[in-house]
């Protein structure tokens, strides 16, 4: 019996691996094989000089302050600044990555802390020698570090000769360690770093890095920025990171009077800013679809201000409903509420590491307060909690047979995935807006169930109609409340209290509602208690009605 169970478990693992690998590009598999069996190239450079600067480098986005006195803090976790900070012990991989980004060099008050930053760079140069297995020498943190050092130096001429030579060595190393196995945002950031290093440093080697960087960014720009302005991984957080990357590239290309690529970048900025606005709540902060947390990417305010410093003139807001058709998101809006619906594919098929099993989920704000929220992300890595946060039950959608709509596994893997179809969007009438879509994520189950959801938004009501076509043993609709919102359940009716004193009333037909304790994860390293409404579907059709017009007496 035990042997049979082990055989079933092995077959299941093989199936999951097959459905993961079948979506990868051949180039990804080939490059992973190549990197595994080839020796890492590293070469020390000496005597590099800065290239003459014909233009002005515009002040970039100010990053959050992470150093205070003798402590440094990332992801809501603080450490003491000392030589041992570089030892890579007792910290998560993401925390160590952030340490090696050097974002603090470009924070809002960096002019006042020149000595602190100089000491940090010098400590790194003295105490962090190259080794291919050290996390700070992975291509992604190398890319981030190159850009941050150069931004800092363009403003303050701060780097020593030793640091310039190190920059050259890092850029050369990066040019041989491009993340073509991961691709997506990692490869774009690699290309950005090589453009920065190739423009900033003088010499033939620098010109070769520039050429590689230009080639990467030009190719990836066409693939990664969709026609509606969205970044193709469909995470508002990584989209905001991509907007900043593009603005940085425009900034430095103009600074060095290079026209190649500049026009391609400039033509995308306004659409990308519009996408950011459409995917934000009335509090001007991003919505939570796929991997998202606050305070990783720059704020909308910071991005828009940077765009204006570079001469772009986006309107302060794009009002009203929008359908981001290629990305797969809909924003429904009236005077009281904003509803953002997910009818999107999980992301680029060959890189869905930041995707969640959240198809047909949504978020809702009423009277500028968030009411229904997806769970967010408090950690990366390979843990049960990371898997739970990526799972269907952590999002405002329907879970069938206690199964995720897309097969998330490990920390950043995805096997079989849900695909939305039969999408219908009617948003021309602001008094009656509807979105309908189905997905096939559960068709792999016995009974081949298909989930269809219709949202109808009016001035007084949000109506959600869920239908499961096919046989199923259980179906749960999950509705996660923001921590500032409280709820009371009575006779299958839920009263929802929002901070301005108003009461929303949620009623159910075709299911039984219950209130449960849950958590919300607005930042890495942060877990906030909250409530959720779970509705057990009794029939194949569930109608959930949220009334807006009740006032708190």
């Amino acid at each position: 019996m035990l042997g049979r169970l082990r055989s079933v478990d092995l077959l299941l693992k093989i199936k999951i691996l097959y459905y993961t690998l079948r979506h990868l590009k051949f180039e990804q598999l080939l490059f992973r094989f190549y990197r595994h069996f080839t020796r890492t190239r590293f070469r020390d450079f000496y005597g590099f000089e800065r290239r003459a600067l014909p233009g002005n480098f515009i002040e970039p986005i100010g990053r959050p302050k992470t150093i205070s006195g003798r402590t440094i803090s990332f992801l809501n976790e603080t450490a003491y600044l000392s030589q041992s900070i570089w030892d890579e012990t007792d910290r998560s991989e993401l925390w160590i990555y952030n340490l090696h980004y050097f974002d603090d060099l470009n924070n809002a008050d960096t002019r006042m802390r020149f000595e602190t930053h100089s000491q940090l760079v010098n400590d790194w140069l003295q105490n962090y020698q190259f080794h291919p297995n050290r996390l700070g020498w992975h291509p992604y943190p190398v890319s981030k570090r190159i850009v941050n050092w150069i931004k800092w130096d363009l403003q303050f001429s701060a780097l020593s000769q030793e640091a310039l030579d190190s920059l050259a060595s890092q850029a050369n190393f990066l040019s041989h360690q491009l993340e073509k196995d991961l691709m997506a945002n990692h490869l774009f950031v690699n290309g950005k770093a090589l453009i920065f290093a190739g423009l900033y440093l003088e010499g033939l080697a620098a010109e070769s890095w520039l050429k590689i960087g230009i080639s990467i960014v030009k190719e990836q720009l066409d693939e990664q920025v969709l026609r509606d302005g969205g970044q193709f991984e469909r995470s508002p957080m990584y989209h905001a990171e991509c907007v900043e990357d593009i603005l940085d590239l425009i900034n430095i290309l103009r600074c060095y009077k290079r026209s190649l690529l500049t026009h391609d970048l400039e033509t995308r900025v306004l659409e990308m800013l519009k996408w950011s606005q459409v995917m934000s709540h009335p509090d001007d902060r991003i919505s939570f679809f796929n991997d998202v947390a606050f305070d990783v990417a720059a704020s909308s305010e910071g991005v828009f201000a940077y765009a204006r410093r570079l001469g772009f003139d986006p309107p302060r807001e794009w009002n009203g409903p929008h359908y981001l058709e290629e990305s797969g998101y809909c924003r429904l809006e009236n005077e009281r509420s904003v509803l953002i619906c997910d009818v999107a594919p999980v992301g680029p098929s060959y890189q869905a590491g930041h995707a969640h099993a959240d198809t047909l989920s949504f978020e809702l704000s009423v009277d500028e307060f968030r009411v229904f929220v997806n769970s967010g992300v408090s950690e990366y890595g390979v843990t049960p909690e990371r898997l739970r946060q990526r799972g269907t039950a952590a999002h405002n959608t329907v879970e069938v047979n206690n199964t995720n709509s897309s097969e998330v596994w490990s920390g950043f893997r995805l096997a079989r995935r849900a695909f939305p179809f039969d999408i219908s969007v009617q948003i021309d009438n602001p008094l009656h807006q509807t979105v309908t879509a189905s997905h096939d994520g559960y068709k792999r189950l016995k009974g081949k169930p298909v989930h269809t959801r219709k949202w109808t938004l009016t001035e007084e009501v949000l109506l959600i109609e869920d239908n499961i076509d096919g046989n199923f043993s259980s179906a749960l609709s999950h509705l996660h409340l923001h921590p500032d919102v409280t709820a009371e359940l009575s006779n299958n009716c839920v009263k929802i209290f929002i901070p301005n004193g108003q009461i929303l009333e949620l009623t159910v037909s075709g299911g039984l509602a219950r209130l449960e304790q849950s958590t919300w994860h607005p930042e890495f390293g942060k877990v906030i208690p909250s409530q959720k409404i779970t509705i057990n579907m009794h029939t194949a059709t569930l109608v959930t009605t949220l009334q807006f017009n009740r006032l708190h007496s």
Side-chain angles (χ1 to χ4, degrees), residues 268-454:
R268 289 167 166 83
V269 170
L270 289 180
E271 280 300 312
M272 295 190 77
L273 290 172
K274 178 180 179 180
W275 197 97
S276 297
Q277 187 70 37
V278 170
M279 292 297 292
S280 294
H281 282 270
D283 59 11
D284 288 330
R285 305 194 79 179
I286 54 179
S287 52
F288 281 43
F289 296 95
N290 297 312
D291 275 348
V292 170
F294 292 146
D295 299 333
V296 174
S299 67
S300 295
E301 181 183 3
V303 171
F304 274 65
Y306 188 25
R308 291 190 175 94
R309 289 197 296 274
L310 290 170
F312 299 97
D313 189 26
R316 294 201 174 272
E317 57 185 69
W318 280 273
N319 291 318
H322 288 276
Y323 178 26
L324 302 168
E325 185 170 359
E326 190 168 5
S327 298
Y329 294 101
C330 301
R331 179 189 180 97
L332 311 187
E333 183 174 358
N334 57 34
E335 288 187 0
R336 291 198 61 192
S337 58
V338 169
L339 175 73
I340 304 175
C341 307
D342 180 354
V343 293
V346 295
S349 61
Y350 62 85
Q351 179 47 279
H354 294 298
H356 289 201
D358 61 354
T359 307
L360 303 192
S361 66
F362 70 95
E363 293 202 322
L364 176 73
S365 283
V366 178
D367 297 339
E368 301 190 355
F369 297 100
R370 296 190 188 217
V371 177
F372 293 123
V373 291
N374 291 317
S375 73
V377 175
S378 66
E379 61 182 73
Y380 278 172
V382 184
T383 65
E385 179 61 13
R386 165 68 174 160
L387 278 180
R388 189 193 70 79
Q389 290 174 15
R390 294 182 73 200
T392 299
H395 301 85
N396 299 317
T397 188
V398 172
E399 178 190 32
V400 174
N401 293 356
N402 298 311
T403 302
N404 290 323
S405 58
S406 293
E407 284 184 304
V408 292
W409 66 281
S410 190
F412 300 91
R413 300 288 182 263
L414 190 67
R416 288 173 288 187
R417 63 277 314 262
F419 187 81
F421 62 95
D422 288 348
I423 300 168
S424 174
V425 178
Q426 305 291 330
I427 56 177
D428 294 336
N429 181 358
L431 301 180
H432 190 274
Q433 304 162 50
T434 66
V435 175
T436 306
S438 303
H439 79 78
D440 62 2
Y442 297 120
K443 287 190 75 172
R444 68 183 188 273
L445 304 178
K446 185 178 180 180
K448 300 185 181 301
V450 171
H451 176 210
T452 298
R453 169 169 278 185
K454 180 179 181 180

